[in-house]
PDB file of all heavy atoms in Angstrom:
ATOM      1  N   PRO A 233     -28.047  28.521  -3.260  1.00 96.00           N
ATOM      2  CA  PRO A 233     -26.725  28.827  -3.652  1.00 96.00           C
ATOM      3  C   PRO A 233     -25.777  28.607  -2.467  1.00 96.00           C
ATOM      4  O   PRO A 233     -25.265  29.544  -1.850  1.00 96.00           O
ATOM      5  CB  PRO A 233     -26.733  30.313  -4.159  1.00 96.00           C
ATOM      6  CG  PRO A 233     -27.963  30.842  -3.342  1.00 96.00           C
ATOM      7  CD  PRO A 233     -28.883  29.761  -3.054  1.00 96.00           C
ATOM      8  N   ILE A 234     -25.432  27.328  -2.222  1.00 96.00           N
ATOM      9  CA  ILE A 234     -24.535  27.013  -1.195  1.00 96.00           C
ATOM     10  C   ILE A 234     -23.502  26.130  -1.692  1.00 96.00           C
ATOM     11  O   ILE A 234     -23.553  25.431  -2.641  1.00 96.00           O
ATOM     12  CB  ILE A 234     -25.181  26.359   0.046  1.00 96.00           C
ATOM     13  CG1 ILE A 234     -26.020  25.145  -0.416  1.00 96.00           C
ATOM     14  CG2 ILE A 234     -26.042  27.360   0.822  1.00 96.00           C
ATOM     15  CD1 ILE A 234     -26.538  24.286   0.678  1.00 96.00           C
ATOM     16  N   GLY A 235     -22.222  26.082  -0.906  1.00 95.00           N
ATOM     17  CA  GLY A 235     -21.152  25.189  -1.263  1.00 95.00           C
ATOM     18  C   GLY A 235     -20.361  25.709  -2.486  1.00 95.00           C
ATOM     19  O   GLY A 235     -20.206  25.065  -3.467  1.00 95.00           O
ATOM     20  N   PHE A 236     -20.003  26.994  -2.425  1.00 96.00           N
ATOM     21  CA  PHE A 236     -19.285  27.640  -3.560  1.00 96.00           C
ATOM     22  C   PHE A 236     -17.941  27.040  -3.797  1.00 96.00           C
ATOM     23  O   PHE A 236     -17.205  26.790  -2.853  1.00 96.00           O
ATOM     24  CB  PHE A 236     -19.095  29.101  -3.228  1.00 96.00           C
ATOM     25  CG  PHE A 236     -20.327  29.983  -3.458  1.00 96.00           C
ATOM     26  CD1 PHE A 236     -21.229  30.166  -2.393  1.00 96.00           C
ATOM     27  CD2 PHE A 236     -20.600  30.533  -4.679  1.00 96.00           C
ATOM     28  CE1 PHE A 236     -22.350  30.934  -2.652  1.00 96.00           C
ATOM     29  CE2 PHE A 236     -21.763  31.281  -4.939  1.00 96.00           C
ATOM     30  CZ  PHE A 236     -22.641  31.453  -3.857  1.00 96.00           C
ATOM     31  N   GLN A 237     -17.609  26.823  -5.060  1.00 94.00           N
ATOM     32  CA  GLN A 237     -16.193  26.541  -5.372  1.00 94.00           C
ATOM     33  C   GLN A 237     -15.956  27.158  -6.802  1.00 94.00           C
ATOM     34  O   GLN A 237     -16.736  27.057  -7.637  1.00 94.00           O
ATOM     35  CB  GLN A 237     -15.852  25.075  -5.277  1.00 94.00           C
ATOM     36  CG  GLN A 237     -16.353  24.157  -6.363  1.00 94.00           C
ATOM     37  CD  GLN A 237     -15.350  23.971  -7.517  1.00 94.00           C
ATOM     38  OE1 GLN A 237     -14.167  24.293  -7.369  1.00 94.00           O
ATOM     39  NE2 GLN A 237     -15.834  23.505  -8.660  1.00 94.00           N
ATOM     40  N   GLY A 238     -14.747  27.680  -6.915  1.00 95.00           N
ATOM     41  CA  GLY A 238     -14.482  28.389  -8.205  1.00 95.00           C
ATOM     42  C   GLY A 238     -13.038  28.493  -8.474  1.00 95.00           C
ATOM     43  O   GLY A 238     -12.245  28.201  -7.525  1.00 95.00           O
ATOM     44  N   ASN A 239     -12.733  28.801  -9.698  1.00 94.00           N
ATOM     45  CA  ASN A 239     -11.282  28.921 -10.028  1.00 94.00           C
ATOM     46  C   ASN A 239     -11.096  29.548 -11.391  1.00 94.00           C
ATOM     47  O   ASN A 239     -12.099  29.813 -12.125  1.00 94.00           O
ATOM     48  CB  ASN A 239     -10.666  27.462 -10.119  1.00 94.00           C
ATOM     49  CG  ASN A 239      -9.221  27.474  -9.676  1.00 94.00           C
ATOM     50  OD1 ASN A 239      -8.528  28.504  -9.672  1.00 94.00           O
ATOM     51  ND2 ASN A 239      -8.679  26.288  -9.363  1.00 94.00           N
ATOM     52  N   TRP A 240      -9.848  29.946 -11.598  1.00 95.00           N
ATOM     53  CA  TRP A 240      -9.559  30.452 -13.004  1.00 95.00           C
ATOM     54  C   TRP A 240      -9.339  29.172 -13.899  1.00 95.00           C
ATOM     55  O   TRP A 240      -8.888  28.193 -13.353  1.00 95.00           O
ATOM     56  CB  TRP A 240      -8.249  31.260 -12.968  1.00 95.00           C
ATOM     57  CG  TRP A 240      -8.417  32.494 -12.168  1.00 95.00           C
ATOM     58  CD1 TRP A 240      -8.045  32.732 -10.884  1.00 95.00           C
ATOM     59  CD2 TRP A 240      -9.040  33.751 -12.588  1.00 95.00           C
ATOM     60  NE1 TRP A 240      -8.411  34.079 -10.481  1.00 95.00           N
ATOM     61  CE2 TRP A 240      -9.017  34.616 -11.546  1.00 95.00           C
ATOM     62  CE3 TRP A 240      -9.663  34.137 -13.828  1.00 95.00           C
ATOM     63  CZ2 TRP A 240      -9.490  35.890 -11.626  1.00 95.00           C
ATOM     64  CZ3 TRP A 240     -10.141  35.479 -13.868  1.00 95.00           C
ATOM     65  CH2 TRP A 240     -10.145  36.319 -12.825  1.00 95.00           C
TER      66      TRP A 240
END
Side-chain angles (χ1 to χ4, degrees):
I234 51 168
F236 282 89
Q237 77 92 15
N239 212 342
W240 296 100

